[in-house]
Amino acid sequence: MQAYEFIEGYEQVIDRFGRWPSFHDGEVLRIILDRSLRLPGGPSIPSVEVYLRGWIMGPELADDGRYTLHNDSVIHFLFEDISAFELEGFNQQNVVTSLNLELSGEPQGGANVLHVEFEHCYQFCCAFIARRAKVVDLRPYAEQPASLA
């Protein structure tokens, strides 16, 4: 199993981009931390929502001299039951070198967990472990609400 296959709905990303993208030079537009979900009579289940802009960069140049971006989109991820959360350098431009995913089993033979790293490019970086993950939504960047554009 590829690590991205741990993410429920990963097929939407494959369908949009033709493959799982590296998200090189992608940008984290929004992060929402939430601990309000609770198990009945139990502890909170922390989650993080990430809105990540990504594309496939083409070899051709646009009129302005920049490489053409194909399928420019925003993917809304939800990661649940997170731990070991680290965030650094959130700023006006949260560009990442890549989105790194790795699966590993929990100690004592438990279920797989997903190690998530938004590798830094310009100050911003973020890493955590999630027990569940899913693609909530995927839309062309041009169709995003003004608050995300």
Side-chain angles (χ1 to χ4, degrees):
M1 171 192 280
Q2 296 292 322
Y4 64 79
E5 293 175 344
F6 181 84
I7 302 171
E8 179 185 328
Y10 75 90
E11 300 90 350
Q12 295 174 65
V13 177
I14 302 289
D15 290 346
R16 176 75 176 153
F17 297 106
R19 64 179 187 260
W20 187 263
S22 70
F23 294 102
H24 177 72
D25 283 345
E27 184 175 6
V28 173
L29 301 173
R30 178 182 286 173
I31 295 178
I32 301 170
L33 301 172
D34 187 5
R35 61 170 291 283
S36 63
L37 181 62
R38 290 187 167 279
L39 292 172
S44 294
I45 301 173
S47 67
V48 60
E49 293 180 59
V50 177
Y51 292 75
L52 177 62
R53 183 179 179 191
W55 54 78
I56 301 295
M57 191 177 302
E60 61 278 351
L61 295 177
D63 292 338
D64 64 3
R66 296 180 186 180
Y67 285 103
T68 305
L69 305 180
H70 299 282
N71 300 325
D72 190 1
S73 303
V74 175
I75 301 94
H76 175 187
F77 291 102
L78 172 62
F79 300 96
E80 294 181 302
D81 206 353
I82 63 166
S83 61
F85 183 85
E86 297 178 13
L87 174 67
E88 185 177 320
F90 190 80
N91 63 80
Q92 74 280 359
Q93 186 180 19
N94 301 297
V95 177
V96 297
T97 298
S98 61
L99 171 57
N100 302 322
L101 304 173
E102 182 181 328
L103 276 178
S104 69
E106 292 187 309
Q108 291 87 33
N112 280 337
V113 294
L114 185 65
H115 296 258
V116 179
E117 177 192 25
F118 293 89
E119 189 174 336
H120 76 89
C121 179
Y122 176 72
Q123 297 179 353
F124 172 82
C125 61
C126 182
F128 53 89
I129 297 169
R131 294 185 196 284
R132 288 179 304 283
K134 71 177 175 180
V135 173
V136 175
D137 192 29
L138 189 156
R139 294 184 190 190
Y141 180 70
E143 295 177 13
Q144 292 305 305
S147 63
L148 287 179

